[in-house]
């Protein structure tokens, strides 16, 4: 989860850098868009990996799903990350709504990461042995 949050933070920084260069009509270094896309692909893979670990771990421990609100929070994050990736890839001057959807999904993703972190903490507490 920490790597996902780190990737999200770096994506926010590189995204703000891209936005600032566009806003001030300045040239942007060629490596920033490449880094932004690479980080985005990494975030998608990390979130899907975390989803697989969560599903397998929960099924292995409990035998079924749905023991907390962590599952809906996690599925929301996966949906938002995938939405952000698809809309980000389709940003084009002829489709300005894709940029708005990309930014909106990323802002909502911050709330999703807060929810999945909070609910994940409560899930982890179930796995820990009781304190003496």
């Amino acid at each position: 989860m920490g790597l996902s949050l780190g990737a999200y933070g770096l994506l926010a920084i590189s995204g703000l850098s891209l936005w600032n260069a566009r806003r001030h009509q300045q040239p942007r270094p060629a490596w920033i868009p490449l880094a932004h896309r690479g980080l985005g692909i990494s975030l998608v893979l990390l979130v899907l990996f975390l989803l697989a670990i969560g599903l397998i771990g929960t099924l292995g421990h409990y035998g079924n799903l749905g023991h907390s609100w962590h599952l809906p929070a996690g599925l929301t994050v996966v949906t938002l990350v995938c939405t952000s990736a698809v809309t980000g890839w389709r940003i084009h001057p002829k489709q300005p709504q894709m940029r708005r959807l990309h930014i909106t999904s990323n802002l909502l993703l911050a709330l999703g990461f807060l929810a999945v972190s909070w609910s994940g903490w409560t899930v982890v507490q179930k796995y820990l042995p009781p304190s003496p």
Side-chain angles (χ1 to χ4, degrees):
M1 184 66 187
L3 286 175
S4 296
L5 292 173
Y8 179 74
L10 291 173
L11 279 163
I13 291 168
S14 61
L16 287 170
S17 174
L18 291 168
W19 173 75
N20 192 41
R22 186 176 51 257
R23 191 180 104 186
H24 294 297
Q25 298 178 353
Q26 297 173 339
R28 60 185 186 216
W31 64 270
I32 292 179
L34 292 174
H36 192 72
R37 285 191 178 134
L39 286 165
I41 291 168
S42 298
L43 181 61
V44 169
L45 294 175
L46 284 167
V47 167
L48 292 175
F49 181 65
L50 287 170
L51 175 66
I53 288 173
L55 292 175
I56 292 167
T58 303
L59 286 172
H61 191 267
Y62 291 110
N64 57 21
L65 299 172
H67 296 277
S68 73
W69 59 283
H70 188 61
L71 179 63
L75 291 174
T76 300
V77 166
V78 170
T79 302
L80 287 169
V81 166
C82 291
T83 300
S84 176
V86 169
T87 58
W89 215 263
R90 292 184 175 186
I91 291 174
H92 189 271
K94 293 180 181 178
Q95 292 183 312
Q97 71 275 15
M98 289 298 164
R99 180 172 280 116
R100 285 190 296 273
L101 286 171
H102 182 67
I103 292 168
T104 301
S105 63
N106 286 321
L107 292 173
L108 291 172
L109 188 54
L111 298 174
F113 271 133
L114 285 172
V116 84
S117 296
W118 180 264
S119 63
W121 180 254
T122 61
V123 169
V124 167
Q125 298 305 309
K126 293 179 184 179
Y127 288 103
L128 296 176
S131 58

